[in-house]
Amino acid sequence: MPASAPADRPPALPVTFRPTRTRVVLLTVGAAMFTVVTVIALLLDRLSPPEKISFVFTALLFFGVPALLSRPKVVADDDGVTVVNLTRTRRLAWAEILRVNLRAGDPWVFLDLSDGTSLPVLGIQPGIAKARAIEDARALRVLVETLGTRPEEPGGTRPDEH
């Protein structure tokens, strides 16, 4: 959400929230680790080709971990929210989300759901970019409050979906 947009107006849909700075740092570190280990493997003359291949494979694993950690995001569209965490993706309808929480000290946003559970949303985390995470949490909260409480018509559609 742009900094100039009012806090009570929802952002235009679809919108994607992700910890961009954290993602850049993780992917940069992963690429650097991959490069260093691969270069070392290629420069060591004592290594046989299979040993060099094992070094490159290990370098790929070193890149894979930060790549996995950089995966989280939240995509909001007209129909609901898709939460992509490290290894799982969950699709939620707007009506399933009761509340968006980001309290002081929380590592990321939590969604209170209509089934009584809470879902961590790693795509909005205040780690490196706290102000951006707070902005994104507010924008998601406004979307939930706006789209999650719209009355449905008898046919199962909302009045503004014609």
Side-chain angles (χ1 to χ4, degrees):
M1 183 166 100
S4 61
D8 58 343
R9 263 184 60 198
L13 295 177
V15 63
T16 300
F17 304 106
R18 71 173 2 140
T20 305
R21 287 185 190 165
T22 301
R23 183 176 165 85
V24 167
V25 168
L26 286 167
L27 292 175
T28 301
V29 167
M33 288 190 310
F34 173 80
T35 303
V36 167
V37 172
T38 302
V39 167
I40 289 172
L42 296 176
L43 291 177
L44 291 175
D45 294 330
R46 291 183 166 178
L47 296 179
S48 67
E51 289 172 326
K52 289 182 180 188
I53 290 171
S54 71
F55 264 75
V56 173
F57 179 74
T58 302
L60 281 172
L61 290 176
F62 283 167
F63 178 76
V65 172
L68 182 67
L69 292 172
S70 68
R71 185 174 180 259
K73 66 181 177 179
V74 180
V75 180
D77 59 32
D78 291 326
D79 299 322
V81 175
T82 302
V83 177
V84 179
N85 284 333
L86 296 180
T87 59
R88 294 187 136 189
T89 300
R90 183 159 176 198
R91 179 74 182 160
L92 300 165
W94 287 112
E96 291 179 80
I97 306 169
L98 301 178
R99 186 175 309 125
V100 177
N101 294 310
L102 180 59
R103 295 176 291 266
D106 280 352
W108 40 71
V109 164
F110 289 90
L111 300 179
D112 291 340
L113 305 179
S114 59
D115 65 1
T117 62
S118 182
L119 177 67
V121 179
L122 280 65
I124 302 175
Q125 50 183 265
I128 295 175
K130 185 176 182 177
R132 177 60 189 225
I134 291 169
E135 226 178 85
D136 290 349
R138 284 183 181 147
L140 184 58
R141 181 177 295 134
V142 168
L143 285 169
V144 167
E145 290 170 354
T146 304
L147 300 173
T149 58
R150 288 189 297 183
E152 290 196 5
E153 290 182 347
T157 62
R158 296 182 183 207
D160 55 347
E161 293 181 348
H162 297 285

